[in-house]
Amino acid sequence: AQSVTQLDSHVSVSEGTPVLLRCNYSSSYSPSLFWYVQHPNKGLQLLLKYTSAATLVKGINGFEAEFKKSETSFHLTKPSAHMSDAAEYFCVVSALYNQGGKLIFGQGTELSVKP
Amino acid sequence: DTGVSQDPRHKITKRGQNVTFRCDPISEHNRLYWYRQTLGQGPEFLTYFQNEAQLEKSRLLSDRFSAERPKGSFSTLEIQRTEQGDSAMYLCASSKGLGQDTQYFGPGTRLTVL
C-alpha cells in the first residue's frame, strides 16, 4: 500500500527566508508524487508533480521538490518565502493508473509566514 | 477550460435529512473522483468514475452514501439520513484518465450537520 508522512504539522518562517516542508513516502512501486496547496476557502491547487522523469521537479510560484529514492523522501522547498505562501500544503502519492489513480494525501503542513 | 465546479458551496442540514451535492468536471475529463476532508486532515478518497462506471468505493462510503454519474459528465453524491459525523468538506476532482495525469479539484461543498 502507498502512504505519505508529512513530518511537520506546522512550519513558521520569516518572509524572505527559505522554506522546507518535509515528506516521506512509502510505495511498493515507482510512485507518482505531488504537492498540492490549499489556501483558506479555496480549492486544492497543484504545485508540482513527479512521474519518474527528472528527480528535481520545478513547480509554480518558485517551489521545487527533489525525489530521493534512497531516502524515500520528496521534500518541498522554496528559496525565499512570500507572505502569499501562507497556506496548507499536502504531499500526495498516487495509486497506479490501473488501480484507479486515486490520490493518497498526507496530513498536511500549515505554513505560516511572518513579516 | 472553466475548471471543476461544485454546487452548493455550503450546506447546513439537520441530522436525519438527506442531502445531494453536484460536481461538474472539466469538459472531456473521463475520470471523476470524490474525496472527503475533515477539519485538520488531508482529503480521503471516497469513490471514482471512469465515464459513467463507478469503479471503486472506499470503505468510508457507507450504505447511506450513493454516487452517480449518469451520462459520464456531471456527478452527484447523495447522503441519506445525515449524521453529525458526516460534517466535512466534500471535494470533487477530475482528470483526463490518461496514465498518471493530474487531478483538478473543485472548490468543495462544506456540509454542516446540526
Side-chain angles (χ1 to χ4, degrees):
Chain A
Q2 303 81 43
S3 67
V4 289
T5 302
Q6 293 184 243
L7 302 175
D8 306 289
S9 59
H10 185 257
V11 169
S12 182
V13 301
S14 297
E15 191 175 21
T17 64
V19 175
L20 170 64
L21 305 183
R22 299 182 295 164
C23 173
N24 286 348
Y25 71 90
S26 175
S27 178
S28 55
Y29 53 85
S30 183
S32 289
L33 292 161
F34 308 78
W35 278 96
Y36 279 83
V37 61
Q38 187 174 40
H39 288 91
N41 300 317
K42 291 192 176 180
L44 285 158
Q45 181 183 20
L46 179 70
L47 277 180
L48 50 82
K49 69 177 182 180
Y50 166 78
T51 54
S52 74
T55 56
L56 183 62
V57 182
K58 294 188 182 299
I60 62 171
N61 300 335
F63 285 94
E64 62 182 35
E66 186 171 8
F67 174 75
K68 291 188 177 179
K69 185 175 181 179
S70 60
E71 299 176 8
T72 62
S73 70
F74 189 59
H75 301 335
L76 182 70
T77 61
K78 182 174 181 178
S80 176
H82 191 271
M83 296 296 292
S84 61
D85 294 329
E88 188 87 17
Y89 291 80
F90 293 98
C91 182
V92 183
V93 65
S94 173
L96 286 172
Y97 173 77
N98 60 4
Q99 295 174 3
K102 63 188 176 188
L103 301 180
I104 297 115
F105 285 76
Q107 295 285 73
T109 298
E110 183 182 0
L111 175 65
S112 300
V113 182
K114 298 175 290 187
Chain B
D1 182 351
T2 57
V4 178
S5 62
Q6 293 186 246
D7 183 70
R9 295 289 304 276
H10 303 273
K11 179 69 176 179
I12 300 174
T13 191
K14 293 182 179 179
R15 188 175 51 190
Q17 297 295 304
N18 300 342
V19 294
T20 300
F21 310 140
R22 177 180 170 123
C23 170
D24 286 89
I26 293 172
S27 178
E28 298 181 356
H29 274 195
N30 295 323
R31 286 198 170 181
L32 187 148
Y33 300 81
W34 285 98
Y35 296 84
R36 182 173 70 185
Q37 185 178 20
T38 53
L39 203 60
Q41 303 294 317
E44 295 175 290
F45 169 79
L46 292 178
T47 188
Y48 90 97
F49 293 83
Q50 174 79 34
N51 298 311
E52 66 274 11
Q54 187 174 18
L55 297 185
E56 185 178 349
K57 293 192 290 186
S58 161
R59 59 188 175 191
L60 292 176
L61 215 64
S62 76
D63 56 7
R64 296 184 297 105
F65 288 71
S66 62
E68 294 183 340
R69 195 183 183 196
K71 297 183 179 179
S73 56
F74 72 92
S75 176
T76 58
L77 177 67
E78 180 183 17
I79 309 174
Q80 296 182 326
R81 306 181 303 281
T82 53
E83 302 172 355
Q84 287 186 327
D86 297 331
S87 295
M89 177 75 85
Y90 290 84
L91 298 166
C92 176
S94 71
S95 72
K96 292 180 181 177
L98 301 173
Q100 297 295 80
D101 59 341
T102 299
Q103 291 184 27
Y104 295 89
F105 283 81
T109 294
R110 182 170 295 284
L111 173 65
T112 302
V113 182
L114 302 175

